[in-house]
Amino acid sequence: MNLAPRIERRSSTCPHDCPSCCGLDIEVVDGRSIGRVRGAERHSYTAGVICAKVARYAERIHHPDRLTHPLVRTGPKGSRQFRRISWDEALDRTAERFLEAERQHGPEAVWPYYYAGTMGHVMRDGINRLRHVKRYSGQFSTICTTPAWTGFIAGTGRLAGADPREMGKSDCVVIWGTNPVHTQVNVMTHALRARKERGARIVVVDVYDNPTMKQADLALLVRPGTDGALACATMHVLFREGLADRDYLERYTDCPADLERHLASRTPEWASAITGVPAAEIESFARLVGTRPRSFFRLGYGFSRSRNGAVNMHAALCIPAVTGAWRHEGGGAFHSNSGIFGLRKGLVEGLEAEDSSVRKLQQTEIGRVLTGDPDSLCHGPPVTALLVQNTNPVSIAPEQELVKRGFAREDLFTCVHEQFMTETAAMADIVLPATMFMEHDDLYTGGGHQHISWGPKLVDPPGECRSNHDVICSLAARLGAEHRGFRMTPRELVDQMLRASRRGSLAELENETWQDVQPPFERAHYLDGFGHPDRRFHFRVDWQHVPNANIGPVGPWQDLPDLPDHWAATEEATPEHPFRLATSPARSFLNSSFNETAGSLERERRPEVLVHPADAAPLGIEGGDWVRLHNHRGAVLLRARLFEGVRRGVLIAESIWPNAAYPDGRGINTLTGADQVAPFGGAAFHDNRVALARIEPPAGYAEPDLAGRMRVLQPA
């Protein structure tokens, strides 16, 4: 009993839906449990620094409320009344209901629904192998990246940029459309290094005065969805004051003269009226990036959350092309390196079995799909069976009232494979307990850097938890789905993927854990030509043919401007709904992950909406008051916090809290829309008009014990 525990430090990779995909050093205690989790110092991008929520991962993996046994629903949907069953019974019931749905309506009645709760290529994407072999309904995964990726590729021709580690070698780091103190802490590691070692200036562009803005030398506070106007005025000043690199423009870009003429009227005063940023600050920003050639533009996923996000991303990306910053180490732009890895995932996803005639449903329109909207169903059969992995749509999907109504259908069979009793799992007929990343093997790539990363199994899972791969293969056997990938282990699939991609073998990757595949400087900076056929950066965009689409043009794509501009396509305020609402990420949550852990709940405290005092006063709202936010989609009750760090008429609700954290069970995505963002889809989570009113405290309401409300009794 007096023996000290045996602690072994092992390398791994963070699997969560974050571009950082951090390299980790993990304490494994006596081969059975997890101790401290640290950033790996020898990982050149992570550089020893990780976010606090992952540093507390022992709290999550050893949480007492983890699901550990298969469950079957015994009460009404959403009642959290379940009883324990065996794995065989759970899988048999699920397969039987999938086959029944197929008999009644055809295979498209079954919808495997997933996203990025894990970014592991085997555990995330293996669900598609079952989908393709069985000809189940497909999925357009447009909930996160599409508008931002489209806007970036519109300029560069491919999804890749300057080495993100070059931020540390920059003379000016522009952080635009991301709050990395909350969401990508490694960005700050390299930006602050540049400030310390080179005297670099840090510029932050965002819609509220968040912790990243507080690190800025120049903080530009814009109204939501007005980034394009700021970018255009910045380029106007660059041309006007002779700060444009005309040699670079002639050699590397498509139509600089047309751009300059177009921007002649896009003055700082014009942009100030749109953005709220004083004209003098716009002038200062332009002169700063125009006189510091080593200016690095770190462009984030905030662009994806607005209906004009693709246009805004492209406009911001045009600035380093005007200054010629791409010429220099520490200059240029970066959004995602997802296009550099070249992994061939045909075996993992069963791509040879994919049939393009099978319908693909919009991930973001799950509420409309499940409530029978003919357009969202592609005018095909209803969805009567769901398999959900790696996502929690009853909390995170837009148009929550429709989502909940759809999941409550008695004729809908739902199987959810999860780690906790999420609000989606609570609506299921069958709940299956899932492993966490330290309990299975997988391969990872992080769009925020340039490493292919290995994540080995370190400990056994609790109870009867099984991996995503195990569940997919077990269901395939019961459904008569034949594919050699179902007979392979995750290690075998990873090894084959690496070899097919000419990235070595698993054995070689295990020796290093992280494989750096950063392209050479000339290619990363597009000095050997941009990705378009003419090898030039494109200021003028043919939006319908940007090489990013997995879906045809949607939304008002015909109205997209061909040159950088302010495109007024956002959900603007009206007299009835006079405020703009953004649902920005909270620091201690990652989407709905980590909102079950005590440490994160304690730090975030409760759902609140940030309101400018000058907006609150006429409405009789004081700090801590209960308020009602509402629009045509629904209403949400939460507390007000007075906050001067927003433009007038702008509200911020940091999320995603569980619906159970709100008095009537209606969470913030009650207010968000599922209409598709032009040109290729997306969800405009930060682009909502709402009304705001003070209300009396909800009768009989007490702050919830969230852990208790998320819990379900699991019989011994």
Side-chain angles (χ1 to χ4, degrees):
M1 292 179 64
N2 295 323
L3 291 176
R6 177 174 57 86
I7 298 177
E8 180 183 10
R9 293 187 69 168
R10 300 282 303 277
S11 297
S12 189
T13 301
C14 180
H16 284 278
D17 188 7
C18 166
S20 291
C21 192
C22 288
L24 304 178
D25 282 337
I26 298 172
E27 291 181 349
V28 180
V29 182
D30 290 332
R32 296 192 302 269
S33 62
I34 299 303
R36 295 189 63 182
V37 179
R38 301 176 177 87
E41 294 183 2
R42 66 185 182 91
H43 189 287
S44 59
Y45 182 73
T46 301
V49 180
I50 59 172
C51 67
K53 50 188 171 282
V54 173
R56 300 192 303 270
Y57 215 87
E59 179 184 30
R60 188 167 195 271
I61 194 170
H62 300 307
H63 198 295
D65 292 339
R66 276 193 67 178
L67 296 170
T68 55
H69 305 287
L71 303 169
V72 63
R73 178 170 63 89
T74 58
K77 289 196 173 188
S79 66
R80 300 179 182 271
Q81 296 175 29
F82 294 91
R83 66 174 174 85
R84 178 177 171 179
I85 57 175
S86 70
W87 266 101
D88 281 340
E89 183 180 355
L91 293 168
D92 288 345
R93 283 174 177 256
T94 300
E96 180 182 331
R97 292 299 297 269
F98 284 11
L99 292 169
E100 179 184 345
E102 187 174 346
R103 285 191 298 270
Q104 289 185 346
H105 301 287
E108 289 183 341
V110 182
W111 192 15
Y113 188 90
Y114 79 111
Y115 201 55
T118 175
M119 296 290 279
H121 289 284
V122 174
M123 300 301 166
R124 180 189 63 195
D125 300 324
I127 194 172
N128 288 324
R129 187 166 64 253
L130 182 65
R131 181 197 313 277
H132 294 146
V133 172
K134 289 293 296 178
R135 299 171 56 85
Y136 293 153
S137 282
Q139 175 179 298
F140 287 125
S141 294
T142 51
I143 202 165
C144 183
T145 65
T146 307
W149 283 17
T150 301
F152 194 93
I153 296 170
T156 62
R158 66 174 186 265
L159 188 62
D163 186 334
R165 295 168 294 194
E166 289 183 29
M167 279 182 285
K169 302 176 182 180
S170 178
D171 294 327
C172 177
V173 180
V174 181
I175 299 171
W176 196 335
T178 180
N179 177 10
V181 171
H182 280 196
T183 62
Q184 299 177 61
V185 66
N186 314 94
V187 171
M188 300 309 300
T189 298
H190 297 281
L192 293 172
R193 175 188 163 203
R195 173 189 278 168
K196 179 179 179 181
E197 296 181 1
R198 301 180 58 83
R201 303 289 297 280
I202 296 176
V203 180
V204 178
V205 184
D206 214 318
V207 298
Y208 74 119
D209 186 15
N210 53 49
T212 302
M213 292 273 275
K214 296 184 187 304
Q215 295 285 345
D217 299 293
L218 177 60
L220 302 176
L221 184 66
V222 298
R223 295 189 182 105
T226 63
D227 310 75
L230 173 61
C232 287
T234 300
M235 291 186 284
H236 169 97
V237 175
L238 292 170
F239 279 113
R240 186 192 71 199
E241 300 203 352
L243 297 173
D245 186 334
R246 295 190 180 276
D247 175 67
Y248 182 88
L249 286 166
E250 289 301 320
R251 290 178 60 188
Y252 288 98
T253 71
D254 65 339
C255 59
D258 290 350
L259 177 69
E260 186 173 4
R261 284 191 295 271
H262 168 70
L263 294 174
S265 63
R266 272 57 172 181
T267 65
E269 291 74 20
W270 165 83
S272 180
I274 296 169
T275 64
V277 179
E281 292 184 13
I282 300 174
E283 300 262 1
S284 296
F285 175 47
R287 295 189 185 106
L288 180 61
V289 298
T291 56
R292 297 199 176 201
R294 295 176 185 263
S295 289
F296 192 106
F297 283 69
R298 183 60 173 87
L299 306 174
Y301 284 95
F303 290 100
S304 270
R305 316 299 184 229
S306 179
R307 288 173 176 80
N308 58 2
V311 171
N312 290 341
M313 166 63 88
H314 175 252
L317 178 66
C318 288
I319 298 173
V322 171
T323 66
W326 287 104
R327 291 183 189 266
H328 308 284
E329 186 178 31
F334 182 87
H335 171 60
S336 172
N337 254 343
S338 295
I340 72 171
F341 299 107
L343 292 180
R344 300 176 67 88
K345 298 197 291 184
L347 185 60
V348 170
E349 297 195 55
L351 294 179
E352 78 282 3
E354 185 176 12
D355 183 344
S356 60
S357 70
V358 174
R359 70 176 177 186
K360 286 189 175 180
L361 305 175
Q362 283 280 6
Q363 176 190 27
T364 48
E365 294 182 5
I366 185 171
R368 302 182 187 188
V369 167
L370 296 184
T371 53
D373 179 80
D375 290 336
S376 296
L377 286 166
C378 305
H379 299 276
V383 168
T384 59
L386 276 177
L387 172 62
V388 180
Q389 287 186 324
N390 311 325
T391 188
N392 181 17
V394 177
S395 287
I396 71 168
E399 297 182 344
Q400 279 283 293
E401 293 297 281
L402 288 180
V403 175
K404 292 176 182 176
R405 195 184 311 158
F407 270 89
R409 280 171 39 204
E410 286 300 326
D411 67 325
L412 175 69
F413 172 80
T414 304
C415 174
V416 175
H417 187 203
E418 253 296 355
Q419 298 161 347
F420 293 93
M421 185 54 66
T422 63
E423 289 169 327
T424 304
M427 297 297 292
D429 299 282
I430 295 290
V431 178
L432 305 176
T435 51
M436 292 189 183
F437 76 99
M438 300 178 206
E439 299 162 352
H440 57 240
D441 295 321
D442 213 341
L443 184 77
Y444 305 91
T445 50
H449 55 74
Q450 57 285 100
H451 292 83
I452 296 174
S453 305
W454 175 238
K457 178 181 177 180
L458 303 181
V459 294
D460 289 330
E464 299 180 81
C465 294
R466 294 188 187 180
S467 73
N468 291 3
H469 177 72
D470 290 338
V471 168
I472 294 300
C473 294
S474 297
L475 282 174
R478 289 165 168 80
L479 292 165
E482 289 290 337
H483 191 281
R484 67 189 181 100
F486 296 132
R487 300 187 297 274
M488 298 173 68
T489 67
R491 293 178 61 87
E492 290 170 336
L493 287 167
V494 168
D495 187 65
Q496 188 279 340
M497 190 188 333
L498 290 171
R499 292 178 185 275
S501 310
R502 298 184 179 179
R503 294 297 189 186
S505 67
L506 175 55
E508 292 168 335
L509 181 59
E510 283 185 292
N511 286 333
E512 294 296 324
T513 306
W514 310 291
Q515 181 186 134
D516 187 340
V517 298
Q518 175 64 35
F521 178 85
E522 293 280 321
R523 181 165 176 77
H525 283 251
Y526 297 97
L527 299 181
D528 60 355
F530 285 89
H532 297 291
D534 63 4
R535 312 299 291 163
R536 291 175 176 268
F537 182 91
H538 281 196
F539 294 126
R540 176 170 278 113
V541 180
D542 178 2
W543 289 104
Q544 190 176 356
H545 297 105
V546 173
N548 181 45
N550 63 359
I551 180 177
V554 296
W557 62 270
Q558 299 93 335
D559 300 331
L560 289 156
D562 62 342
L563 288 170
D565 214 338
H566 169 63
W567 184 39
T570 53
E571 192 170 275
E572 291 301 313
T574 65
E576 183 181 5
H577 301 107
F579 291 92
R580 298 287 309 284
L581 170 69
T583 59
S584 304
R587 186 169 189 168
S588 299
F589 303 150
L590 201 171
N591 300 322
S592 66
S593 294
F594 297 96
N595 66 19
E596 70 286 317
T597 57
S600 292
L601 292 169
E602 180 180 352
R603 286 163 176 79
E604 297 299 328
R605 292 185 59 235
R606 65 189 184 191
E608 295 180 326
V609 60
L610 309 183
V611 186
H612 195 286
D615 287 330
L619 299 173
I621 295 171
E622 298 181 357
D625 280 353
W626 281 98
V627 296
R628 180 176 182 262
L629 301 179
H630 64 94
N631 60 19
H632 64 285
R633 302 181 186 101
V636 173
L637 311 180
L638 71 174
R639 306 272 194 155
R641 176 152 61 97
L642 303 188
F643 181 70
E644 294 184 349
V646 289
R647 295 289 175 198
R648 292 286 307 276
V650 176
L651 307 175
I652 305 292
E654 293 182 339
S655 296
I656 298 172
W657 283 89
N659 296 328
Y662 298 81
D664 59 359
R666 291 182 171 88
I668 201 66
N669 282 315
T670 301
L671 304 171
T672 58
D675 51 300
Q676 293 304 313
V677 173
F680 302 131
F685 286 107
H686 297 177
D687 185 357
N688 312 282
R689 56 173 165 249
V690 297
L692 169 69
R694 181 184 179 277
I695 61 171
E696 293 301 314
Y701 179 75
E703 300 289 351
D705 168 14
L706 283 177
R709 291 185 68 168
M710 299 300 288
R711 188 174 300 137
V712 62
L713 179 63
Q714 295 189 64

